[in-house]
Amino acid sequence: MLLFAAATLAAGLRPGTVQAEETPLKLVALGDSLTAGYRLPAEAAFPAVLERALKAKGYRVEIANAGVSGDTSTGGLDRLDWSVPDGTQGVILELGANDMLRGTDPAVTRKALETIIVRLKERRIPVLLAGMLAAPNLGTEYRTRFDAIYPDLARAHDLVLYPFFLDGVAGQRANTMDDGLHPTAKGVERVVEGILPTVETFLGRLGQKPEQKGQ
């Protein structure tokens, strides 16, 4: 025990801090099929690819996949408590695409997302909000109301915002499946490439810094 304490102090650490530093930050990706990895193997789904990308940059993280294909913002709210367990230290919230595809009143989507955010804040769980944009064929009025949801909520609740989850994927046949909607494995990699700097900003808010290579 004395030898362990001496070695710890020699490394410039306080006794008892080693285990804490080795514990990864626990995140949950709460979303729909875009998070779940529709028709993809588990290791190609968004949370797994993002986790690998962050670890490659030196972050200690674990990202649980709480994506449910077909889920709406209201569905995500209904399952919030069991999808985001105690001990979660941050949530990447990606919901609303199915609301938009179904033509759900944007007021319903806004209310559900805001309730999720508020309930997580009450549990002291920070949120990164992944935005969605309405399809052009839904008309100008709908698009204006829907597209405003995410930046409005981010401003109101001081959230880190990634404006459009499918940036670089939507409308790009090389990055989408035959349905023209869901990302291929290559498309998921493009999503992760785009969102990675925003996730790093979010981790910075959580006090997480990448380890320097060679440590």
Side-chain angles (χ1 to χ4, degrees):
M1 182 65 182
L2 290 175
L3 289 174
F4 174 78
T8 301
L9 291 172
L13 300 174
R14 297 186 306 275
T17 63
V18 175
Q19 183 176 0
E21 289 188 4
E22 292 179 350
T23 301
L25 190 75
K26 295 186 180 298
L27 304 180
V28 170
L30 178 66
D32 47 41
S33 57
L34 301 177
T35 290
Y38 177 73
R39 289 170 52 189
L40 294 173
E43 64 271 16
F46 167 71
V49 178
L50 177 60
E51 181 179 307
R52 288 197 298 272
L54 289 168
K55 286 181 175 178
K57 300 196 76 170
Y59 292 95
R60 290 183 179 272
V61 295
E62 288 181 358
I63 307 178
N65 189 337
V68 174
S69 293
D71 217 357
T72 62
S73 57
T74 301
L77 173 59
D78 289 342
R79 63 183 174 89
L80 179 63
D81 291 340
W82 59 265
S83 291
V84 182
D86 291 341
T88 299
Q89 294 165 283
V91 167
I92 299 172
L93 178 57
E94 177 277 306
L95 284 168
N98 288 311
D99 301 56
M100 179 268 295
L101 292 173
R102 299 178 185 186
T104 301
D105 185 341
V108 173
T109 304
R110 181 187 291 265
K111 181 178 180 180
L113 290 174
E114 185 158 35
T115 304
I116 290 172
I117 292 164
V118 169
R119 284 175 53 178
L120 289 173
K121 288 178 71 175
E122 289 171 349
R123 295 172 59 189
R124 301 184 183 279
I125 300 175
V127 175
L128 185 161
L129 185 59
M132 184 54 56
L133 297 175
N137 63 338
L138 292 172
T140 302
E141 181 183 354
Y142 187 93
R143 290 174 63 190
T144 299
R145 294 176 61 213
F146 184 89
D147 292 356
I149 293 172
Y150 300 89
D152 285 355
L153 291 178
R155 281 191 297 270
H157 296 281
D158 190 27
L159 306 181
V160 175
L161 171 69
Y162 184 61
F164 184 35
F165 187 76
L166 291 177
D167 186 31
V169 174
Q172 302 296 317
R173 295 298 300 172
N175 290 332
T176 56
M177 295 183 178
D178 51 12
D179 61 11
L181 299 172
H182 293 93
T184 59
K186 180 182 176 183
V188 172
E189 291 176 0
R190 176 63 185 85
V191 170
V192 169
E193 178 186 355
I195 201 173
L196 188 59
T198 303
V199 175
E200 290 190 83
T201 297
F202 181 58
L203 294 181
R205 280 199 180 190
L206 303 182
Q208 179 80 313
K209 296 180 181 179
E211 294 181 346
Q212 299 298 317
K213 294 186 183 296
Q215 285 189 349

